[in-house]
Amino acid sequence: MSENKGFDDPLSGLAFAGQDEDLDEEIPFDDPPQNPPQTQAGFLDSDPTSKQPLLHDSQQQGTSQSQNDIYPSQSSKQHPSDQYATTRLDTLASYGQLVTPPHDTPQPSHPEIQPQRGMDASEAGPSTGAAFPQVAESRRQPNITITDPIKHSEKSMMPGVSGSYVTYAVNSRMTLPKFSTRGASVRRRFRDFVALAELLKVMHRGYFIPPRPEKNPVEGQRATDDFVELRRHALEKYLIQLALHPAIAQSDELLVFLEAEAPLGSNLQWQQLQPMHGSILEGVSRLPKQLFGQDPAAPSPTEAATNTKHTSDLLRRFKELTVKEPKDPAGLDQPEIDLRNEKLMVDEFLEKVAAASRKAEKLVSKFEQMGAVTGDLGLSTLALAKFEDTDGSSCGTYTDSAMASKNISADAKRVGSAAVRVSRLSRTATSSVTEALSPLHDNLALAPAAIKALKEREAALLTLHAIEADLEKRRHAVALLDSEAQKTPGGVDKAKGRKADNLRNEVAGLEAAVQAASQEYDRVKSRNTQEVSRWKESRVQDFNGMLDHFARIMAAYEDRRLSVWLEVAEQFGVTKAAAARLTST
């Protein structure tokens, strides 16, 4: 039996780790007794479709079992073949159908049994019976939950066609001063989450804002309960990530979203937060006036502080297309050069983490398949044991054939039971590994958002350069007109003087726009710098915790699996000394 690897046995709480009653409940062999035992908490129900809790009631209350309780001696227990006669094997396609939940179903978490990151097992308190090392949280999780999805019907724009949508109860109790201390519960639909994401993207340029869950264009899939549950889980995670962001957590946008009672579309506070968006049609109608001088060509300070693609100023878009960014780094200051290098690093990181995420998914898939195949092997071996029991009974009680069949049956049951236990360990390990490797997928999702935020700074600098170039042209034109007006015979040319005055007004407007664009660029650049530093620190913490957690899970899994097979080997007559030599080779 292997020794503890320096941390509390993370598998000691498994209800199925080595108890034959569990297998009896699944695979009865002989005639059932007159009063069959009731299904116990933590064991599989007789109905294959029932849900199985992973922990005993005693384990949920924080009690633990010794290793002798988990792995009782085979000789001290009555064999399953002496209790039951019928079998359910013909009703199951595979072992995975019996015990494996859908791999894409979010696994329930148990924050009450998860020690915080940075705490040793001894600091986290007594063992609560968790099956594997739990993911530790680096920060206190915001108290945000999404519950109670309700499907609603709505009228469609097409006559005779009706649509539907789902609303969710968003429950929150934030600890920040601006939020209600009593908490709030409001109903939101997916369209509201999309509106929140778009608003944050416009109002908080330069921040690495966590991405929202994607839309699903397939109407049929959106109506299924599984899809609604997956979306509910994803939206809850999205809001928690926003609440963990130091700037977004204190934003008015998140405050109104979490606490405004009325639907967002009709909420006055939400409407007041909306930026002034110009449509393409407005830009098309405005363009001729700008070209003929009937509309000021200079952007307002508000427009200058906004990304060009969010305005209706088509002339400004054309001008920015003609501005050439300096290819020589000498034309940029050092912070800008550093941030552009960081963008290249994020591009490379995205490529590496995408490859690692694909490998992690492959690992989890193989782990899941290995557990299912091992369980199928165990069930097949137990079916063989039943066949040998039946065959031996037909040969008489004390004949050589009957004794040989019973020996084969007993050995097959030992191996089959162990295979089923190992398969269950694999199932639990699969869920734990998936949770442990989640920082890979989280950072993979955040990397494109980081690239977009860094591009926002480049867009702000491009706007600044375009307005500065336009300002320089206007100043040069004013100086030229003043010079020509003074040279006019007979006095000052009034027409050129009026034109020069108009250009001076445009120069004043452009100077205000340059100041606003410069302030916006500095603000976005400062946010980029802060976010790059924060993300680096977060990645170091997340990946260190991920690797440590993954290593602990694998060590715990291999240790318990080894214990199961060593017990079987001892039952076949292998001494502990010989078993130790086998494990050392």
Side-chain angles (χ1 to χ4, degrees):
M1 200 71 65
S2 60
E3 296 294 328
N4 196 314
K5 300 298 186 296
F7 52 90
D8 291 343
D9 185 358
L11 306 183
S12 61
L14 281 177
F16 49 78
Q19 299 177 0
D20 292 329
E21 296 91 346
D22 200 0
L23 297 177
D24 301 343
E25 199 68 34
E26 292 181 24
I27 309 156
F29 286 93
D30 298 326
D31 293 332
Q34 296 297 325
N35 297 316
Q38 300 294 324
T39 303
Q40 300 180 21
F43 294 155
L44 290 174
D45 193 17
S46 58
D47 182 3
T49 63
S50 63
K51 298 181 180 179
Q52 308 92 18
L54 294 181
L55 303 178
H56 282 295
D57 292 340
S58 59
Q59 293 168 319
Q60 294 172 352
Q61 296 170 3
T63 58
S64 60
Q65 293 177 317
S66 66
Q67 195 168 18
N68 291 332
D69 295 333
I70 294 298
Y71 291 107
S73 172
Q74 189 77 7
S75 60
S76 64
K77 304 188 68 130
Q78 186 178 9
H79 202 278
S81 62
D82 298 331
Q83 298 180 15
Y84 302 101
T86 59
T87 179
R88 287 187 9 238
L89 295 177
D90 55 347
T91 66
L92 302 174
S94 67
Y95 179 76
Q97 178 184 342
L98 177 65
V99 297
T100 305
H103 67 278
D104 57 349
T105 301
Q107 297 297 322
S109 59
H110 301 279
E112 68 274 5
I113 62 174
Q114 297 179 2
Q116 295 183 0
R117 180 173 294 170
M119 296 176 61
D120 295 332
S122 58
E123 298 173 344
S127 173
T128 57
F132 281 91
Q134 299 295 314
V135 174
E137 298 295 340
S138 59
R139 292 160 289 185
R140 187 188 182 107
Q141 288 290 325
N143 190 357
I144 298 178
T145 59
I146 295 182
T147 59
D148 191 23
I150 299 177
K151 187 175 181 180
H152 304 266
S153 298
E154 64 178 348
K155 294 182 179 181
S156 175
M157 297 180 62
M158 299 179 61
V161 179
S162 62
S164 63
Y165 64 94
V166 177
T167 62
Y168 305 86
V170 179
N171 314 295
S172 62
R173 184 184 293 274
M174 304 289 284
T175 57
L176 297 175
K178 65 181 350 180
F179 288 84
S180 172
T181 57
R182 298 173 299 174
S185 179
V186 296
R187 297 206 71 85
R188 298 286 181 257
R189 57 185 296 184
F190 185 75
R191 179 188 300 174
D192 299 329
F193 288 87
V194 175
L196 173 64
E198 292 299 319
L199 183 59
L200 292 175
K201 182 172 62 175
V202 174
M203 302 303 294
H204 297 274
R205 299 176 69 188
Y207 286 124
F208 296 178
I209 302 176
R212 63 164 175 80
E214 293 295 328
K215 297 180 180 179
N216 186 352
V218 182
E219 178 66 27
Q221 293 184 6
R222 292 188 297 177
T224 63
D225 293 340
D226 289 342
F227 174 77
V228 170
E229 172 59 23
L230 288 173
R231 172 167 281 184
R232 183 206 63 78
H233 178 78
L235 292 175
E236 181 178 281
K237 183 177 180 181
Y238 170 63
L239 289 182
I240 290 176
Q241 289 176 333
L242 291 181
L244 287 173
H245 192 286
I248 304 301
Q250 304 190 45
S251 66
D252 293 333
E253 294 81 9
L254 186 60
L255 169 64
V256 174
F257 183 88
L258 292 178
E259 297 191 353
E261 292 289 344
L264 287 185
S266 58
N267 184 269
L268 180 60
Q269 290 178 287
W270 183 257
Q271 296 300 326
Q272 292 174 343
L273 294 173
Q274 302 303 311
M276 297 298 295
H277 277 302
S279 65
I280 296 295
L281 292 178
E282 292 177 356
V284 171
S285 62
R286 181 183 177 189
L287 182 59
K289 298 178 181 179
Q290 290 177 315
L291 294 176
F292 289 103
Q294 300 175 0
D295 191 303
S300 67
T302 301
E303 291 178 329
T306 305
N307 193 313
T308 308
K309 64 183 179 182
H310 297 309
T311 69
S312 61
D313 194 343
L314 296 182
L315 182 61
R316 175 182 161 192
R317 297 189 187 189
F318 296 148
K319 289 179 179 180
E320 290 189 4
L321 290 176
T322 62
V323 175
K324 294 183 178 180
E325 285 293 312
K327 296 182 179 180
D328 185 4
L332 303 172
D333 59 13
Q334 190 59 43
E336 177 66 26
I337 295 174
D338 293 340
L339 287 172
R340 297 200 173 199
N341 290 333
E342 289 293 343
K343 180 175 172 291
L344 297 177
M345 295 295 293
V346 175
D347 287 330
E348 184 178 358
F349 170 77
L350 177 59
E351 178 183 353
K352 302 298 184 184
V353 76
S357 178
R358 289 193 296 269
K359 297 299 183 182
E361 290 180 358
K362 188 174 182 180
L363 170 67
V364 171
S365 176
K366 294 296 184 182
F367 218 130
E368 189 176 28
Q369 293 174 12
M370 184 64 181
V373 170
T374 304
D376 291 340
L377 174 62
L379 288 180
S380 299
T381 307
L382 291 171
L384 175 62
K386 180 183 181 300
F387 170 79
E388 292 292 343
D389 274 341
T390 304
D391 184 64
S393 299
S394 65
C395 296
T397 306
Y398 300 105
T399 62
D400 292 341
S401 297
M403 297 301 295
S405 294
K406 287 188 176 181
N407 289 335
I408 295 174
S409 175
D411 293 342
K413 288 173 185 176
R414 294 189 185 103
V415 174
S417 299
V420 171
R421 295 185 207 131
V422 169
S423 181
R424 288 184 162 194
L425 288 169
S426 299
R427 181 193 64 175
T428 308
T430 299
S431 176
S432 298
V433 167
T434 302
E435 187 179 7
L437 296 179
S438 61
L440 281 177
H441 309 294
D442 293 342
N443 282 274
L444 174 62
L446 186 59
I451 293 175
K452 290 180 180 179
L454 293 171
K455 287 183 177 180
E456 282 289 334
R457 187 201 71 262
E458 296 178 5
L461 181 59
L462 181 62
T463 297
L464 175 60
H465 287 168
I467 299 176
E468 286 178 339
D470 200 12
L471 174 61
E472 187 62 28
K473 290 180 182 179
R474 295 291 191 279
R475 285 174 174 172
H476 180 71
V478 169
L480 186 61
L481 285 173
D482 287 342
S483 177
E484 292 178 353
Q486 295 296 332
K487 295 178 182 179
T488 301
V492 178
D493 189 334
K494 294 183 179 180
K496 292 184 178 180
R498 286 194 298 269
K499 189 174 183 180
D501 290 338
N502 291 334
L503 287 176
R504 288 190 183 91
N505 291 333
E506 292 185 11
V507 166
L510 287 171
E511 288 176 344
V514 165
Q515 182 178 5
S518 177
Q519 292 175 350
E520 179 67 9
Y521 166 69
D522 291 339
R523 178 163 49 248
V524 175
K525 181 170 66 174
S526 175
R527 291 173 177 176
N528 278 177
T529 303
Q530 296 172 9
E531 289 289 87
V532 166
S533 176
R534 185 181 66 86
W535 191 30
K536 285 183 177 179
E537 294 177 0
S538 176
R539 288 209 311 267
V540 169
Q541 188 178 24
D542 288 345
F543 285 170
N544 284 343
M546 177 191 72
L547 297 175
D548 175 73
H549 184 211
F550 176 72
R552 287 172 178 265
I553 290 173
M554 297 306 296
Y557 169 72
E558 296 296 342
D559 181 68
R560 182 50 54 85
R561 188 177 66 160
L562 176 63
S563 300
V564 172
W565 291 119
L566 283 180
E567 180 189 354
V568 175
E570 292 175 7
Q571 292 169 359
F572 277 101
V574 178
T575 63
K576 291 186 177 181
R581 289 195 299 271
L582 288 174
T583 58
S584 63
T585 57

